[in-house]
Amino acid sequence: MSIPDGMEAADIPTMRNMEIGDYTKYLEALFFFDHHENLRSSFGEYPVATTPEQIDALIKYLKHIKTRM
């Protein structure tokens, strides 16, 4: 799955109906590594993480907020 230029992120009903495999592909489309190996968001291309330690912090944060779902 790739996100075409100009496409918005999936809406909530679409995401709720995604099989986990499709959701994983969607996640892969939401992020990319730039030429400096920085993790960036496909929408807006803002940086998400620039070091392995930041990825660890992101994972820890996501695990923490998982309890709110």
Side-chain angles (χ1 to χ4, degrees):
M1 171 186 244
S2 63
I3 301 174
D5 289 339
M7 178 183 162
E8 296 295 323
D11 59 22
I12 292 171
T14 300
M15 286 183 66
R16 286 190 187 197
N17 290 319
M18 282 182 188
E19 299 284 334
I20 197 64
D22 290 335
Y23 179 70
T24 299
K25 290 176 185 174
Y26 178 70
L27 287 175
E28 291 170 357
L30 284 179
F31 301 101
F32 72 97
F33 284 100
D34 66 16
H35 63 283
H36 294 293
E37 298 303 317
N38 298 307
L39 182 65
R40 290 184 176 267
S41 165
S42 293
F43 296 113
E45 298 189 11
Y46 58 85
V48 177
T50 61
T51 66
E53 294 80 13
Q54 289 176 348
I55 293 287
D56 290 339
L58 175 61
I59 292 167
K60 182 178 177 181
Y61 174 73
L62 291 173
K63 286 180 178 180
H64 172 74
I65 64 171
K66 178 181 175 182
T67 60
R68 294 181 60 185
M69 311 254 346

